[in-house]
Amino acid sequence: MTEYSLIHNGTLINGTGDEPLLNAAILIKDNEIVEVGEENLITLPDEEIKRVDAGGMFILPGFIDTHMHLMANGFKDKDTLYDPLSLYFYKGAENCRKTIEAGVTTVRDAGLADLGVKMAVEQGLILGPRILICVMPLSITGGHFDFWRASGFDIKISYPGLPEHICDGVEEVRKRVREIIRCKADFIKVMVTGGVMSANDGPEHTQFTVEELKVMVEEGKNHGGIKVMAHGHGAEGIKNALKAGAHSIEHGSYLDDEAIQMMIDKGTYLVPTFVVMHHNKKLAEAGALPEWGIEQAIEIVDIHKKNIKKAYEAGVRIAMGTDCGVVSHGINLEELGFLCDMGMSAEEAIVAGTKTAAECIGYDDKIGTIEEGKLADVIICKKDPIAHIRALGNPDNIILVMKDGKIVKDLRN
């Protein structure tokens, strides 16, 4: 049976960068937006309609986090050594709930969520955002996602849903990519440099050769056009990924002018993840990070902001991503405020988290804006996000979340 909903009595910010629309309404048929406009101009069907009163507040598209880790809670060594595996999944379910209640209705998980997590959300077993998975990021031996420690212990989470991810040399890389795709990956994730929180390397260390990276891109193309997202801090590793044809660069801390121009020429997306940079710095200053990560977590913040600003001013396409999971869940939309600190207007930051993010993950025909024909992913915010962009970063200000035409959070009463 067809169900109609009408979200009305609010100011619409539709995610395209258009001016806000006062007295707006959105007519939804089942899970699809069928009409958007001023409330008095909407053509209502002669059928029962569920009315959702926005109470004069602000209506926006559901946001998209293009880089996070739903199954991670800070990558603490002791967790995998001492906690039972089942606890890992219960924590993941809670992380999913926090994410969608923060106003994020779709995520590109950047590692550790397997097909079962995605299915659990799709089947309604747990509450969470729409999930695209890479399953496991690919790493060289001793690289950013190699969890071996000098003690001889490997603290990687291990169970049948997670394939092996360490690979060295062209043919081993090819096999690992195929194994990741066999596990139903929507994206291929690769670590082309070290990381801020790596035990065995540093953020400027280059990992994988161009030839190895080209194999990843080639195998993705051979399997229906699966894209490669590349974790990259150091400029040389980023340029290797760009030469190979990576679809997006994650973090981008040490981007140089050559890499920025390459990104513009190739139309590559940049996902800055300011949230993780700032929160890691706070943790480092409080002495709450491992000793080997403290200095670089503090030093990298200003370098990262300067180079992301340079890329933004040059015209690189920027999509919102946070790396939540490395830091706390549910704070995803704090990223918008940091994008504004870097130089974006509030309108541009919202577009980065909606329209551009949808384009980055290849779902722009389905989500990212409130337009006819799109899926009904909608949120309502108390405060005007154009005047108070940081209001979106507080989940208490997100009073309603609708995903795929169904209300999953409602604090209006």
Side-chain angles (χ1 to χ4, degrees), residues 180-334:
I180 294 290
I181 293 172
R182 182 176 65 186
C183 291
K184 309 302 182 186
D186 300 298
F187 276 82
I188 298 162
K189 165 84 178 291
V190 58
M191 307 301 197
V192 300
T193 73
V196 177
M197 294 305 300
S198 293
N200 300 316
D201 60 26
E204 293 189 82
H205 293 179
T206 301
Q207 299 175 12
F208 289 109
T209 65
V210 174
E211 290 71 26
E212 289 170 323
L213 296 170
K214 282 182 176 178
V215 167
M216 299 177 196
V217 174
E218 176 188 335
E219 287 295 326
K221 287 180 179 177
N222 291 344
H223 288 82
I226 296 174
K227 307 292 188 184
V228 173
M229 57 186 294
H231 156 108
H233 288 283
E236 291 309 311
I238 290 171
K239 284 183 273 195
N240 285 348
L242 295 169
K243 289 171 186 175
H247 177 71
S248 67
I249 299 297
E250 319 295 306
H251 313 305
S253 302
Y254 294 94
L255 278 169
D256 62 16
D257 291 342
E258 182 184 9
I260 288 169
Q261 189 58 52
M262 289 173 72
M263 293 186 75
I264 292 169
D265 293 342
K266 294 174 179 291
T268 313
Y269 290 89
L270 175 61
V271 182
T273 65
F274 281 105
V275 161
V276 74
M277 299 293 179
H278 284 267
H279 282 268
N280 268 346
K281 181 181 179 182
K282 287 182 180 179
L283 291 171
E285 290 171 340
L289 292 183
E291 186 177 344
W292 38 261
I294 289 176
E295 185 176 343
Q296 51 197 27
I298 294 171
E299 288 180 352
I300 204 168
V301 171
D302 291 338
I303 296 167
H304 173 261
K305 181 179 178 180
K306 179 188 73 173
N307 290 326
I308 300 302
K309 183 177 180 66
K310 191 186 298 184
Y312 158 72
E313 290 175 344
V316 172
R317 294 189 288 185
I318 293 178
M320 188 191 84
T322 64
D323 224 355
C324 283
V326 178
V327 294
S328 301
H329 290 278
I331 62 171
N332 310 67
L333 298 190
E334 286 186 11

Side-chain angles (χ1 to χ4, degrees), residues 68 70 89-105 107 117 121 125-129 131 329-332 395-396 401 408-409 411:
M68 67 170 304
L70 285 168
F89 292 99
Y90 286 114
K91 285 183 175 179
E94 178 66 2
N95 298 340
C96 287
R97 182 193 64 80
K98 287 181 177 179
T99 300
I100 194 165
E101 290 190 352
V104 175
T105 51
V107 304
V117 178
V121 173
L125 300 176
I126 61 175
L127 176 62
I131 306 172
H329 290 278
I331 62 171
N332 310 67
D396 291 340
V401 178
V408 297
K409 175 185 178 181
L411 303 180

Side-chain angles (χ1 to χ4, degrees), residues 326-380:
V326 178
V327 294
S328 301
H329 290 278
I331 62 171
N332 310 67
L333 298 190
E334 286 186 11
E335 184 74 14
L336 303 173
F338 291 127
L339 287 171
C340 290
D341 291 344
M342 180 272 298
M344 283 188 176
S345 66
E347 293 88 344
E348 288 175 311
I350 290 168
V351 170
T354 54
K355 182 177 186 289
T356 307
E359 292 167 351
C360 178
I361 66 172
Y363 268 48
D364 49 304
D365 61 331
K366 300 178 179 71
I367 57 174
T369 57
I370 295 179
E371 296 178 289
E372 293 176 13
K374 298 288 182 77
L375 296 177
D377 284 10
V378 183
I379 70 169
I380 297 175

Side-chain angles (χ1 to χ4, degrees), residues 6-120:
L6 184 74
I7 301 175
H8 67 108
N9 187 25
T11 298
L12 175 64
I13 299 168
N14 67 9
T16 68
D18 289 348
E19 288 292 317
L21 179 65
L22 302 176
N23 303 312
I26 306 166
L27 181 63
I28 298 162
K29 180 181 179 182
D30 295 328
N31 67 339
E32 182 180 319
I33 297 169
V34 292
E35 192 172 352
V36 182
E38 291 184 25
E39 185 172 353
N40 61 353
L41 299 179
I42 297 286
T43 304
L44 299 178
D46 189 19
E47 297 188 39
E48 184 178 347
I49 301 172
K50 179 181 179 181
R51 292 178 176 268
V52 179
D53 188 346
M57 291 179 276
F58 299 85
I59 307 166
L60 298 95
F63 281 86
I64 301 160
D65 191 335
T66 66
H67 185 126
M68 67 170 304
H69 300 271
L70 285 168
M71 300 302 291
N73 287 280
F75 293 111
K76 302 180 184 74
D77 291 8
K78 66 178 180 64
D79 289 352
T80 51
L81 289 172
Y82 298 115
D83 288 349
L85 182 60
S86 54
L87 183 61
Y88 171 75
F89 292 99
Y90 286 114
K91 285 183 175 179
E94 178 66 2
N95 298 340
C96 287
R97 182 193 64 80
K98 287 181 177 179
T99 300
I100 194 165
E101 290 190 352
V104 175
T105 51
T106 302
V107 304
R108 181 174 64 165
D109 188 273
L112 297 175
D114 72 347
L115 180 62
V117 178
K118 181 177 179 178
M119 291 173 66

